Structure formats: C-alpha cells, structure tokens
Amino acid sequence: MSVISTSEVTSLLTPVNAFLHCETPQSWIDEAQKEENLRVILTDHLICELKAAQSAMYLLRRYVADEETSKVLLGWLKPYEDFTYRHEGDWQSLNTKHLSKSVFNVEGLEPFKKDMLDKMVMLIKEELHHYYQVLEIMHELGFEYKSVTSSRYANGLLRHVRTYEPEKLVDKLICGAYIEARSCERFAKLAPFVSEDLGKFYISLLRSEARHFEDYLTLAGQISDTDITERVAHFGHVEKSLIESDDKELRFHSGAPNIN
C-alpha cells in the first residue's frame, strides 16, 4: 500500500471537489464512523467496487467486444458475482483472476473504442483489486461477508440517462464520473475517523478513484457530438440532491442519514 503525502491528497481532491456540487453531509460522517456501522460500510464498499467493475465491463461488452469476447468477459467476472450475490465459492481464490486486453480483437478498432478499452480494462483491474483488499480487511476484522441492500444512489443517477445513442453512452459515462468522484471524496472524509490502517487504505485509493472520474469525463467528451457541459451540470444537480436529501439506510453512497 503506497503512502500518499498530504500535499498529494490535496492535489488529488482539488479537481474532485470542484467537480462535485456539494460536500458529504456531516451527519453521514458522524454515522459512518461509528464502530457498530463499520461492517455495513465495508460491505457496501465491497459491493460498490464490484458494481464499478461490472459497469465498466458492460461498456466494454456493449461498445467494444464482439459476441465471443463478451462471453469470455462474462465468464471471467462470474466468480466475483457468485461470491457476492449467491454466496458461492472461496473469496481467497478470487485473487488469482487477472483480466487481459489480449482477449479483445483490437484490429481496426476506432480510436474512441481503443481509448475506452484501455481505460476500462485498467479500471476493472483496479476496482477488483480494491474489492479483494476490502475482503482481506473484513477477514482481519472478523466480519463474515453478508450482503446488504443497495442504496438508491446509482439508480437515482441512472434514472436520468437518455435512451438513444450516443446520448445514452454520454450520460452513462457522466454518471460513472460522479460515482467515482463521490467515492473519492468519501474515502478522504472518512479516513481521519477510522482506525489508522483503514484510514491509510482509504487514502491509498484516492489516486485511482480520482483518475477514474477524469477518465469517464474524457470519454464522454470524446463521444459526444455536442458540448457536454450542460449534461454534466444536470447530473451534478441530481447527484447533489441524492447526497443531501434524507436517507433511511446508511450506505457508502447514501444521503443524510435519517434512520431513527
């Protein structure tokens, strides 16, 4: 786990905080840092890492991979999904899985799709590495994996995605940018209030999460026929509403806790 200096943390968070339309409410930090809520926060974080990989995998299957490669990708991700959603398999064996761009036929691939391939394969590798790291932390803490229900956050964003191409892809990429940026911001917000080791782990994630949000925005700008500023602002307002409004469940991306 590489050490990140205070100045680098500030440098990484500056564009993230400029991109987001609000900070995490203090009430979420107050609730999330409680020891009795740590299992839920870690479990939801774990599931969010898998969902981030799944979302990137969907983009590759939908816009880059041929039918045969798509089947290979589904099979490659299946052990993670089996463990997470069906409680099947040994979590320690997941550390042996490695995705390679070599499964893709890149001959004649247009520049945008090549860029998407490069960025999404890297993102998938990193998210699933983080997934395994969270499993290791939960094991060390004696937390048996038990699934939790999803928050309303991601669906709340995706509800605003347009249904026709290429606008659908543009909106999905913008949603991905907000999810990654919020994750980055929350890691930094929560890090000072948890154990030293867990805090260091959260801070170690900032480099990749900050790059992920920028990668998604770059791809959205590349594929769009028009300036994406208005759509980015639209999803920024939606995301702000989801984060600041009351939420009945505490999750990693939930809003202001109102769980009494």
Side-chain angles (χ1 to χ4, degrees):
M1 191 183 299
S2 58
V3 178
I4 300 182
S5 66
T6 302
S7 61
E8 187 179 356
V9 169
T10 301
S11 176
L12 289 168
L13 289 175
T14 296
V16 169
N17 291 330
F19 177 64
L20 296 170
H21 288 219
C22 69
E23 291 186 37
T24 288
Q26 184 62 44
S27 60
W28 184 90
I29 299 170
D30 292 342
E31 201 66 31
Q33 68 178 280
K34 292 180 180 178
E35 189 173 345
E36 63 266 28
N37 290 327
L38 182 58
R39 188 192 72 81
V40 169
I41 289 295
L42 285 173
T43 302
D44 196 47
H45 174 190
L46 174 79
I47 296 170
C48 286
E49 296 288 3
L50 177 58
K51 287 183 175 178
Q54 288 176 308
S55 295
M57 189 74 82
Y58 166 81
L59 292 175
L60 292 180
R61 290 178 52 239
R62 173 68 177 81
Y63 298 102
V64 179
D66 56 29
E67 185 176 350
E68 193 60 36
T69 303
S70 184
K71 290 178 182 178
V72 172
L73 296 175
L74 286 175
W76 182 84
L77 198 58
K78 188 175 184 296
Y80 294 92
E81 296 172 332
D82 284 344
F83 178 81
T84 307
Y85 302 127
R86 291 174 281 278
H87 301 270
E88 297 174 358
D90 173 20
W91 69 270
Q92 290 173 313
S93 69
L94 297 175
N95 200 35
T96 65
K97 310 296 180 186
H98 301 287
L99 178 64
S100 171
K101 287 191 294 184
S102 64
V103 302
F104 292 87
N105 179 13
V106 298
E107 187 177 348
L109 208 59
E110 59 189 85
F112 169 75
K113 290 184 177 181
K114 178 67 167 58
D115 196 20
M116 176 183 280
L117 175 62
D118 291 340
K119 286 179 167 60
M120 292 301 103
V121 167
M122 178 64 75
L123 186 148
I124 291 165
K125 288 180 176 180
E126 290 175 333
E127 300 290 19
L128 292 179
H129 178 58
H130 301 161
Y131 171 95
Y132 190 80
Q133 287 179 299
V134 178
L135 275 175
E136 287 184 311
I137 290 170
M138 292 178 67
H139 179 71
E140 290 169 5
L141 292 172
F143 292 155
E144 181 184 356
Y145 172 71
K146 297 177 182 178
S147 55
V148 296
T149 57
S150 300
S151 72
R152 60 192 171 92
Y153 177 78
N155 283 338
L157 286 170
L158 294 172
R159 196 172 292 125
H160 293 260
V161 169
R162 291 168 289 186
T163 58
Y164 44 90
E165 299 287 10
E167 287 79 3
K168 179 180 179 180
L169 175 56
V170 171
D171 286 355
K172 280 186 173 260
L173 291 167
I174 293 171
C175 286
Y178 275 105
I179 293 169
E180 295 291 335
R182 182 59 64 186
S183 297
C184 192
E185 188 249 9
R186 290 216 158 163
F187 290 138
K189 289 286 190 184
L190 196 51
F193 301 104
V194 294
S195 70
E196 183 178 357
D197 286 346
L198 185 55
K200 287 180 179 178
F201 171 61
Y202 283 156
I203 293 299
S204 75
L205 301 180
L206 298 186
R207 282 196 191 109
S208 56
E209 300 295 332
R211 189 186 70 256
H212 293 169
F213 111 80
E214 292 177 330
D215 284 348
Y216 272 120
L217 273 188
T218 298
L219 289 171
Q222 286 175 354
I223 196 61
S224 180
D225 296 328
T226 58
D227 189 333
I228 65 171
T229 302
E230 186 177 327
R231 291 305 289 173
V232 171
H234 170 72
F235 280 102
H237 291 303
V238 173
E239 203 268 350
K240 179 177 187 288
S241 175
L242 290 165
I243 290 299
E244 292 187 333
S245 57
D246 287 352
D247 221 322
K248 295 188 181 298
E249 292 183 309
L250 178 69
R251 296 291 185 266
F252 197 81
H253 290 97
S254 57
N258 182 15
I259 51 185
N260 294 327

